[in-house]
Amino acid sequence: MSSLDRDYELDDDPARLDRDAVWAFLSEHVYWGRWRSRADLERQIDSAWRVVGAYERASGRQVGFARAISDGVSLAYLADVYVLPEHRGRGLGVALVHAMIEEGEGARFRWALHTNDAHSLYERFGFAKPDDTYLERPLRRG
C-alpha cells in the first residue's frame, strides 16, 4: 500500500472496513451517496473488485474509503472516494486513489469515474474528459 504520513495507514482488507462509518458518511455527507439504501451499499461493498480504507493509526478509526468495480482484466470504475473533513489536507485522498489505481493489477486497467467537485485530484492520475468513443447511459432511479 502507499506510504503515508506515519499517523495513517491504508488497508485493502474488506473485513477491516467499518461499514457503519462508511454508511454514515456516504448517506449523510455526500451528494453522490444519499439516494442509496444501506442494503444497496452493503451489496456494493460485497461485490466490489477492491476496497481500500484509510485508518488513523493511534485510534484504528476509519477516516477514508475508496471502492472499485472491475472485470479484473482491463476496465475498472472508481467510486465512493472520501476522507473525513477533519483528516483532509494530509494526502489521504491522493494516497487512496494511488493505492487503488496505481498499485497491483489495477495499474494496467482503463479507469472511469464520475465527480462534480474533485477534478484536480483525479487529473493528477491521468483522468480527463472522455474522447468521442465513450458513450454513457445515465442512471435511472425509480
Side-chain angles (χ1 to χ4, degrees):
M1 309 287 342
S2 299
S3 64
L4 285 176
D5 177 306
R6 63 189 162 128
D7 295 332
Y8 299 94
E9 65 181 326
L10 300 182
D11 193 345
D12 63 356
D13 179 359
R16 186 174 178 190
L17 288 178
D18 180 344
R19 290 176 180 231
D20 291 334
V22 174
W23 168 247
F25 191 81
L26 292 178
S27 66
E28 298 171 15
H29 300 283
V30 296
Y31 65 87
W32 72 84
R34 292 185 180 153
W35 61 270
R36 289 180 270 189
S37 69
R38 175 73 186 247
D40 291 336
L41 178 64
E42 293 290 341
R43 239 181 10 250
Q44 289 174 320
I45 291 172
D46 289 341
S47 65
W49 169 75
R50 187 175 184 205
V51 293
V52 178
Y55 302 90
E56 186 178 44
R57 285 187 193 272
S59 67
R61 179 178 175 222
Q62 184 174 335
V63 299
F65 176 75
R67 174 177 68 88
I69 58 174
S70 176
D71 62 8
V73 177
S74 65
L75 181 65
Y77 184 87
L78 181 61
D80 295 333
V81 178
Y82 78 83
V83 173
L84 295 178
E86 62 271 25
H87 296 274
R88 292 179 185 161
R90 296 178 175 103
L92 289 171
V94 171
L96 280 167
V97 175
H98 184 272
M100 186 66 82
I101 72 168
E102 299 291 356
E103 297 177 4
E105 295 177 35
R108 69 177 192 275
F109 295 170
R110 180 178 186 175
W111 283 88
L113 66 87
H114 291 91
T115 186
N116 280 343
D117 59 3
H119 293 86
S120 63
L121 168 62
Y122 300 112
E123 287 168 350
R124 41 172 105 174
F125 292 98
F127 285 91
K129 290 184 180 184
D131 61 27
D132 291 338
T133 65
Y134 184 85
L135 299 174
E136 177 179 280
R137 178 179 159 172
L139 175 67
R140 293 184 183 173
R141 292 188 201 129

